[in-house]
């Protein structure tokens, strides 16, 4: 992460395949876990992440099936256009 420069050795965050990228257990959850454990990450950032995760849990119940995958595809496409 930008706070530790990935010197904590807590895993790889950016996958090379879309299937892995769209699997939240291998991307978003690992980033979230790392940020909460990172000693260099500001407490305000950790608090914001926790708050946003709680908000997302409520939002998920109103999302239509497939919306999250479409979102990840949009991000994946934009990242690879450059």
């Amino acid at each position: 992460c930008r706070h530790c420069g990935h010197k904590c050795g807590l895993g790889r965050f950016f996958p090379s395949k879309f299937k892995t990228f769209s699997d939240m257990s291998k991307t978003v959850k690992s980033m979230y876990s790392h940020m909460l454990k990172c000693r260099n990450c500001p407490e305000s950032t950790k608090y914001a992440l926790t708050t946003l995760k709680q908000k997302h849990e409520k939002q998920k119940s109103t999302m239509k099936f497939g919306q999250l995958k479409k979102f990840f595809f949009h991000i994946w496409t934009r990242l690879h256009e450059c």
Side-chain angles (χ1 to χ4, degrees), residues 2-64:
R2 70 189 297 178
H3 305 289
C4 69
H6 195 60
K7 294 176 184 169
C8 292
L10 295 173
R12 186 184 84 186
F13 299 121
F14 199 82
S16 58
K17 297 179 182 174
F18 174 72
K19 184 176 180 181
T20 308
F21 178 70
S22 64
D23 183 349
M24 287 187 60
S25 68
K26 295 179 181 170
T27 54
V28 177
K29 290 179 183 175
S30 65
M31 284 186 249
Y32 176 76
S33 280
H34 169 80
M35 297 297 284
L36 293 182
K37 293 176 187 175
C38 182
R39 292 182 295 267
N40 299 325
C41 183
E43 289 300 318
S44 59
T45 301
K46 293 177 184 183
Y47 177 78
L49 284 170
T50 304
T51 303
L52 289 170
K53 183 174 182 187
Q54 291 169 351
K55 182 178 179 181
H56 177 68
E57 291 300 320
K58 293 175 187 172
Q59 291 173 335
K60 280 195 319 188
S61 64
T62 63
M63 291 173 65
K64 293 179 185 175

Side-chain angles (χ1 to χ4, degrees), residues 66-78:
Q67 278 185 314
L68 196 56
K69 190 168 185 173
K70 286 180 186 178
F71 171 74
F72 279 120
F73 183 74
H74 177 70
I75 298 297
W76 181 263
T77 304
R78 288 193 60 190

